[in-house]
Amino acid sequence: MEPLISVGDIKKNFGAVEALKGVSLDVAEGEKVVVIGPSGSGKSVLIRCVNALERPDSGELTVDGMDLMARKVDTRRLAGDVAMVFQGYNLYPHKTVLENVTFAPIRVLKVPREEAEANGRKYLERVGLTSKLNQYPDQLSGGQQQRVAIARALNMHPKIMLLDEPTSALDPEMVNEVLDVIKSLAETNMTIVMVTHEMGLARDAADKVVFMEGGLVVDEGTPDYLFGPTSNERVQAFLSKIL
């Protein structure tokens, strides 16, 4: 089967900074891929390219059969296929929790309001926020805001979920509530690509772990391999500092 996401030798520069120096990665449908590595290694740039938030300077990039290097990309179809959860939540401060979760399905996918709200309530229940429907983001904790962001992404019914450091902006006591939701997503057939510093999550939830450094993929494999003694020496040196 063709991979759902196919990244081929993509390069991306920001001025003199080479963020991606030729990254290749395939993600199969239903696969859970966790990208790890030191800060500044290009991890977030990689998944932003997959969501067309950044355009590679060169290489090949296909998502669910869509050529993201083409001159024109069907952004509405891409928005229906790929949802992203950011480290900074990115909620609308002037909209309630339910309005945040239903805005994109109504506006982008043209889902009838009643249907979008029914689905939104379902996903907010799934992330444990049924009691917060009418509250605003500034009335919620960081962990609750991130769970709203996950419910919002789910309400787009995406084939692919991208998560960019979903716990990095949270206080330590709020991390577990978000990790529990992500682990439950990992048990579904959804395709997930996640950047994280949570090595326990990478070990428990990933089918494949990718280690990046300096804008390159240094090594990849199953959690047992990458966290084991036979992975790349650079990977082992990185893990020895944080585990």
Side-chain angles (χ1 to χ4, degrees), residues 5 11 34 54 87 103 108 132 134 154 168 233 239:
I5 301 170
K11 298 178 182 179
V34 174
E54 301 287 354
Q87 56 182 302
F103 179 78
V108 178
K132 306 295 184 181
N134 298 313
L154 290 171
S168 66
E233 288 183 4
L239 293 174

Side-chain angles (χ1 to χ4, degrees), residues 119-148:
N119 287 331
R121 288 187 175 92
K122 177 181 68 176
Y123 290 121
L124 286 166
E125 179 181 7
R126 180 172 176 177
V127 300
L129 291 174
T130 301
S131 64
K132 306 295 184 181
L133 296 179
N134 298 313
Q135 294 194 3
Y136 290 87
D138 65 0
Q139 297 175 295
L140 306 177
S141 69
Q144 289 170 336
Q145 290 186 61
Q146 193 61 291
R147 285 187 280 153
V148 173

